[in-house]
Amino acid sequence: MSDRTRSAMADVLAGRRRGGMLLFFGPAVIASVAYMDPGNYATNIEAGAGYGYGLLWVVLAANMIAMLFQALSARVGIVTGMNLAELSREHFPRPAVIAMWIVSEIAAMATDLAEFLGGALGLSLLFGWPLLWGMVVTAIVTYAILMFERGGFRPMELVIGALVMVIGASYLIEMFIAPVDWGGVLMGMSTPDLPDARALTIAVGIIGATVMPHAIFLHSGLTQNRAITSNLSEKKRIVSFSNREVIIALAVAGMVNMAMVIMAASAFHQGHSDVAEIETAYHTLTPLLGGFAAAAFLTSLIASGVSSSVVGTMAGQMIMQGFIRRHIPIWLRRAITMLPAFAVVAMGVNTTEALVMSQVVLSIALPVPMIALILFARRRDVMGTFAVRGPILWLAVIGATVVLGLNFVLLWQMAGFAVPGLAG
């Protein structure tokens, strides 16, 4: 961040400059990319194709939970000046820290698998390339974008923000092309219903693809030293700015996810309800809505894969530095996290199956950051007067219980056990 930007921030916090909230925008925009990654595409397409607008309420609920946890993560970083991994290292026993680091690293690699494959798949379908070529190009583009970080946070935030705009614009175009039943959309958002076990599985997948472990870690790191404060009042103001940014950035991410479900429902539910894969969705879109709609879909997928892969690499770097105080060159980090994706393609594994399995890994890893975040956010010796109490704390506990409980249900189902009360 430039000296000019830091000076402008200080003027806003000291009351010498009016407005200036945009100066503090950026961390939530970067974190929001995790909520629009290729894993979301797979689950949202299956939800819309199979159940029309009926599971939109799940997308809305997942987004509200994500808002709460991202706001808490940013709050912890702002108040303590440390990210969640660093706090865990300082306050938890060493064996627990090592275990948390290993689980978090596995989750970061699983996340990157989904994101990297998504971008490569989009390029492969759009240009007719072999998937391996798409992976190579995705790797080059991702690494090139990561180089912007050398110029500070701001250039990276602008690049990621531009990719988010591409994703949003692509789905705005889809909304004009697809024949949307807006009455059905409102009904789906406001009427909770899970008609069968498959709907439950998809609902859990939506939540698992929405609340992401690496995004919770990353957000605290992006805010920890972003603005220098000299008193409690200035810190409160930054927290207020951060809360507003979280609401705006994740509202956009939520609308994009809803647009994915709406597009799939409008295009596939009547007559193509078995569409459940990204490749099938693309090939089916062309005859239904035309080549322009299909191209917009792939453009958004490529932007999603590239941007989320960049953010995933940043999160992995922060997790390693926070837990074990180790730093490796960004090119090496990028190479390590790409290896599972190349291995999956080399073994001939179906890309959609790989995306689903990555979500299972994330489901196992999710308790680590969620529980740690709640524990630190409520501690007065860590957070001081910013410690979370009352309704916000209880909402966080309830949200974590719901998410972790549903993830347990997903793992239970994937182990081959039936869920009582739901037909298949």
Side-chain angles (χ1 to χ4, degrees):
M1 189 177 295
S2 68
D3 291 338
R4 182 179 176 184
T5 303
R6 288 196 181 277
S7 177
M9 283 181 165
D11 287 342
V12 171
L13 294 176
R16 295 187 295 268
R17 174 173 173 174
R18 305 193 69 168
M21 189 171 70
L22 287 177
L23 289 168
F24 298 86
F25 271 42
V29 173
I30 290 181
S32 73
V33 170
Y35 299 94
M36 295 176 279
D37 76 354
N40 294 83
Y41 280 66
T43 53
N44 290 335
I45 288 170
E46 190 173 2
Y51 296 92
Y53 307 115
L55 296 181
L56 279 171
W57 68 272
V58 179
V59 179
L60 179 61
N63 204 65
M64 298 299 289
I65 294 172
M67 278 185 185
L68 176 58
F69 278 89
Q70 292 305 140
L72 287 178
S73 177
R75 184 189 189 100
V76 166
I78 292 167
V79 173
T80 66
M82 302 175 71
N83 62 54
L84 188 57
E86 290 171 338
L87 282 169
S88 299
R89 186 191 67 222
E90 292 295 321
H91 292 274
F92 293 148
R94 183 171 176 78
V97 170
I98 296 298
M100 290 174 71
W101 170 61
I102 292 172
V103 170
S104 300
E105 285 285 1
I106 293 171
M109 294 183 75
T111 300
D112 198 67
L113 169 67
E115 294 159 348
F116 188 61
L117 279 178
L121 181 60
L123 286 169
S124 174
L125 292 171
L126 186 61
F127 297 109
W129 296 342
L131 183 59
L132 186 62
W133 289 16
M135 293 173 70
V136 172
V137 173
T138 302
I140 294 170
V141 173
T142 301
Y143 183 73
I145 293 175
L146 283 166
M147 291 302 97
F148 279 94
E149 195 175 14
R150 291 180 177 177
F153 281 124
R154 211 54 172 169
M156 177 66 76
E157 290 166 357
L158 292 173
V159 171
I160 296 297
L163 290 171
V164 169
M165 289 179 64
V166 170
I167 299 169
S170 298
Y171 270 96
L172 183 62
I173 291 170
E174 299 278 9
M175 291 301 94
F176 282 107
I177 298 174
V180 179
D181 174 14
W182 292 106
V185 169
L186 291 174
M187 183 68 72
M189 289 174 61
S190 58
T191 310
D193 182 36
L194 291 173
D196 53 38
R198 179 169 173 257
L200 175 62
T201 302
I202 295 172
V204 175
I206 290 172
I207 293 174
T210 301
V211 185
M212 304 290 279
H214 73 293
I216 296 175
F217 278 115
L218 180 64
H219 206 159
S220 61
L222 294 174
T223 59
Q224 66 182 111
N225 293 311
R226 184 178 174 80
I228 299 171
T229 58
S230 58
N231 56 56
L232 196 62
S233 176
E234 291 182 356
K235 197 161 284 189
K236 285 181 179 178
R237 198 163 190 190
I238 295 177
V239 170
S240 176
F241 286 151
S242 174
N243 289 339
R244 291 181 220 176
E245 188 203 0
V246 167
I247 291 171
I248 294 170
L250 266 70
V252 171
M255 286 188 283
V256 168
N257 278 296
M258 287 185 187
M260 291 182 198
V261 177
I262 291 168
M263 181 277 292
S266 303
F268 306 138
H269 185 53
Q270 298 296 330
H272 300 275
S273 61
D274 58 337
V275 171
E277 297 186 354
I278 292 172
E279 300 99 314
T280 309
Y282 166 68
H283 291 303
T284 309
L285 268 178
T286 303
L288 288 178
L289 301 180
F292 187 66
F297 171 72
L298 287 187
T299 300
S300 70
L301 178 61
I302 294 167
S304 166
V306 169
S307 58
S308 57
S309 192
V310 169
V311 171
T313 303
M314 292 169 63
Q317 211 44 321
M318 191 170 294
I319 287 168
M320 177 175 283
Q321 288 177 258
F323 277 119
I324 61 171
R325 290 195 178 114
R326 292 289 184 273
H327 176 86
I328 61 175
I330 198 72
W331 66 266
L332 181 58
R333 179 86 209 179
R334 180 69 264 171
I336 292 171
T337 53
M338 285 190 304
L339 286 177
F342 278 97
V344 163
V345 172
M347 290 186 295
V349 177
N350 179 279
T351 51
T352 299
E353 288 180 6
L355 290 175
V356 171
M357 288 309 298
S358 73
Q359 299 309 307
V360 175
V361 174
L362 294 179
S363 297
I364 297 171
L366 191 55
V368 171
M370 289 190 89
I371 295 173
L373 182 59
I374 292 174
L375 290 175
F376 288 126
R378 66 181 291 276
R379 285 179 58 170
R380 193 166 288 274
D381 62 321
V382 173
M383 298 291 290
T385 59
F386 292 90
V388 175
R389 291 285 187 271
I392 295 178
L393 176 61
W394 284 110
L395 284 173
V397 171
I398 292 169
T401 302
V402 169
V403 171
L404 300 180
L406 287 175
N407 280 335
F408 175 78
V409 170
L410 175 62
L411 297 175
W412 182 265
Q413 281 192 319
M414 296 199 77
F417 298 103
V419 179
L422 287 177

